[in-house]
Amino acid sequence: MSISPTLSSLAALVRDGRRFWATPGGQAVRQAERACLGPVCERLFGGHSLELGMSGALADMCPVRHPMAWAPIRELAEHPATLICPLDALPLPDSCLSLVVIHHLLEVAPDPHRTLQEAARVTRNDGRLIIFGWMPLSPGALPRVWPGRRRRLPWRGHWRTPARLRDWLAFVDFEIERVDYCGFHLPGGMPRNASLETLGRRHNLPLGDSYMIQASRRPQLAQRQGSSLGFARPFGGSALGATRLGQSRWLAEPCPPNDQERMTEVD
């Protein structure tokens, strides 16, 4: 089976990302982020979840019954419950997941707007969308002043502030409930200082290497029907619509049941 240039480029990106997250620096940031995500995950229940990222399972402490991972090609799938597909065409029906985690992908995704749109589309009305991103103003961002570093992960791509992503989320009818910061350290060091991490998280200082956004779907207000005009159905709904635009070769399948974990490949 041939692989499209887009999937081939995405597969190369995932390989580079996994190499970074396997380094001591990547592991230190990942540990800080897991500590930040843990209390949130422990309060989430549901049937299905999905992680979109390159670092491996991050929310495996969450009591969701059927967690799924993502990979662009079959060779990069690490366990059976893996969706193999492009980021902008998840083979899942609307509003079927209790938890969706986007882990440092919006900085480097080929089409970050469509990636966020797809993640929002498959999140339940009562579910949570978690986004991890790199802070543009942090000790970890200092190496980005050298142009050569910007061609390598994690400094590659476009780093956006939570305020910028607030606008993006509003476009897909989501709102930010909370922003937490993690990965605190001094310039030139790694986020392994327990005292700095405790202090930074206690006061939620926007000085960590990364941030974690908790977002949920905005409540839809009931439409009032006027006395003189009648409508067959009320107006409203998602700003982008509940279905994918245009013709797609990826068919939406029901979320697999808990006792039927399988690998879904999309040609």
Side-chain angles (χ1 to χ4, degrees):
M1 181 183 65
S2 61
I3 300 176
S4 68
T6 300
L7 284 179
S8 179
S9 175
L10 198 55
L13 174 67
V14 171
R15 291 188 180 98
D16 288 345
R18 289 182 179 179
R19 280 192 288 268
F20 162 72
W21 289 107
T23 64
Q27 287 293 309
V29 174
R30 186 175 181 274
Q31 183 177 355
E33 291 175 340
R34 275 178 57 86
C36 200
L37 179 62
V40 179
C41 273
E42 291 172 357
R43 300 192 298 268
L44 294 176
F45 296 88
H48 310 281
S49 67
L50 174 65
E51 290 192 48
L52 302 171
M54 301 176 286
S55 70
L58 193 73
D60 49 359
M61 78 290 286
C62 187
V64 173
R65 294 189 300 273
H66 182 237
M68 293 181 288
W70 164 83
I73 59 175
R74 176 180 289 272
E75 289 73 15
L76 293 175
E78 296 183 322
H79 56 80
T82 299
L83 290 182
I84 301 174
C85 61
L87 283 169
D88 59 358
L90 301 178
L92 296 170
D94 297 353
S95 304
C96 69
L97 302 179
S98 300
L99 171 66
V100 177
V101 178
I102 304 177
H103 187 250
H104 295 290
L105 272 184
L106 295 182
E107 294 93 340
V108 293
D111 191 341
H113 290 279
R114 283 296 302 273
T115 298
L116 181 61
Q117 178 185 350
E118 279 292 274
R121 179 184 65 82
V122 300
T123 303
R124 291 169 53 96
N125 291 341
D126 59 349
R128 289 295 180 273
L129 176 59
I130 305 293
I131 301 173
F132 284 95
W134 298 110
M135 274 296 290
L137 299 175
S138 68
L142 293 178
R144 283 170 55 86
V145 300
W146 288 277
R149 290 289 186 94
R150 294 199 176 201
R151 293 192 292 268
R152 298 162 47 192
L153 289 175
W155 306 284
R156 178 178 169 183
H158 300 279
W159 290 20
R160 302 173 180 91
T161 64
R164 180 59 175 157
L165 291 184
R166 185 185 301 275
D167 297 335
W168 287 26
L169 286 164
F171 191 66
V172 293
D173 284 340
F174 270 68
E175 61 185 2
I176 293 179
E177 294 184 341
R178 181 179 171 87
V179 179
D180 291 283
Y181 302 93
C182 48
F184 298 91
H185 63 92
L186 297 175
M190 289 192 295
R192 288 179 172 172
N193 190 313
S195 298
L196 283 179
E197 192 71 23
T198 300
L199 180 64
R201 289 186 57 193
R202 178 181 300 163
H203 299 284
N204 205 23
L205 301 174
L207 301 174
D209 278 356
S210 63
Y211 55 81
M212 181 184 74
I213 292 175
Q214 300 180 50
S216 61
R217 195 177 302 278
R218 292 190 298 193
Q220 299 294 318
L221 299 179
Q223 297 287 331
R224 296 183 59 187
Q225 185 169 331
S227 58
S228 60
L229 295 177
F231 297 96
R233 59 177 60 88
F235 295 103
S238 171
L240 295 178
T243 58
R244 194 177 297 123
L245 300 177
Q247 295 290 332
S248 176
R249 22 196 303 261
W250 297 281
L251 302 179
E253 300 176 348
C255 287
N258 184 42
D259 58 351
Q260 215 174 12
E261 291 189 351
R262 61 187 180 85
M263 180 180 295
T264 301
E265 180 171 4
V266 182
D267 294 333

